[in-house]
């Protein structure tokens, strides 16, 4: 099992490369590069203390970029999670989420939020299995509450919330 540690700003280039490589099997190289743009350096520059990395002697095998809300003392947010495809299905993402939950609770946070695309059925099932509830949206897609244009025109999202300690 890879070792868990706090992320560092120096991990940024490696994490971006991981996103481009790990998602290359399900996207074009251009789409994988665009996905990696969701992780500008500022996330590790300002939120490395709340972000996590799983690594072994071969390098980074998984990561979670998350932060505690600046506008309130109750919420934390998971922005982006990745696991090496060779390790998927082995509990690595659950390990990252569980560690994030524990650290957020220790910091006094009581809620964790996350989002995903309505088309990402694997992510939706994973979040539900971890105890997240789907928040009400402004419309439904295949029975799933969706927030229209959440991330801009045509960028609908499913929003999750999980109460810590439950």
């Amino acid at each position: 099992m890879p070792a868990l540690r706090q992320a560092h700003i120096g991990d940024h280039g490696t994490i971006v490369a991981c996103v481009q490589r790990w998602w290359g099997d399900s996207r074009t190289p251009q789409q994988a590069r665009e996905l990696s743009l969701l992780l500008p350096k500022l996330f590790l520059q300002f939120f490395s203390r709340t972000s996590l990395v799983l690594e072994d002697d071969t390098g980074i095998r998984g990561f979670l970029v998350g932060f505690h809300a600046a506008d309130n003392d109750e919420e934390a947010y998971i922005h982006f999670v990745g696991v090496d495809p060779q390790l998927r299905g082995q509990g690595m993402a659950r390990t990252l989420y569980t560690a994030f939950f524990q650290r957020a609770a220790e910091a006094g946070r009581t809620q964790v939020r996350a989002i995903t695309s309505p088309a990402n059925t694997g992510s939706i099932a994973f979040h539900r299995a971890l105890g997240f509830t789907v928040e009400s949206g402004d419309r439904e897609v295949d029975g799933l509450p969706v927030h229209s244009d959440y991330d801009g025109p045509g960028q609908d999202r499913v929003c999750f919330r999980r109460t810590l300690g439950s």
Side-chain angles (χ1 to χ4, degrees):
M1 168 90 170
L4 180 71
R5 67 166 173 82
Q6 176 183 313
H8 305 293
I9 193 168
D11 294 324
H12 180 258
T14 303
I15 289 173
V16 166
C18 287
V19 170
Q20 292 176 5
R21 190 172 61 253
W22 295 348
W23 275 269
D25 61 347
S26 62
R27 291 173 171 77
T28 67
Q30 177 65 23
Q31 289 171 326
R33 188 182 98 45
E34 288 172 5
L35 186 63
S36 73
L37 295 176
L38 294 173
L39 288 169
K41 187 179 255 185
L42 72 87
F43 280 104
L44 295 182
Q45 202 170 2
F46 296 103
F47 304 111
S48 62
R49 195 180 88 233
T50 54
S51 296
L52 303 165
V53 165
L54 282 170
E55 73 179 345
D56 60 19
D57 57 354
T58 66
I60 292 177
R61 305 301 299 276
F63 65 88
L64 180 153
V65 174
F67 52 89
H68 298 166
D71 292 342
N72 67 66
D73 294 332
E74 292 82 40
E75 294 179 315
Y77 181 78
I78 297 174
H79 174 66
F80 202 113
V81 179
V83 173
D84 184 328
Q86 295 178 346
L87 297 179
R88 289 185 188 152
Q90 297 180 32
M92 300 300 146
R94 181 178 292 274
T95 295
L96 289 162
Y97 273 72
T98 301
F100 184 83
F101 295 156
Q102 179 180 346
R103 292 170 184 216
E106 289 169 358
R109 304 299 164 143
T110 58
Q111 300 284 318
V112 175
R113 300 179 72 151
I115 65 169
T116 196
S117 163
N120 195 339
T121 56
S123 176
I124 293 165
F126 176 76
H127 283 89
R128 284 179 161 163
L130 283 180
F132 282 89
T133 57
V134 176
E135 295 183 330
S136 297
D138 61 346
R139 67 187 181 94
E140 287 192 6
V141 174
D142 297 327
L144 187 67
V146 172
H147 294 254
S148 300
D149 301 330
Y150 184 93
D151 279 333
Q155 300 298 312
D156 301 343
R157 297 292 178 258
V158 175
C159 297
F160 301 101
R161 179 186 299 269
R162 183 182 191 274
T163 301
L164 296 177
S166 65

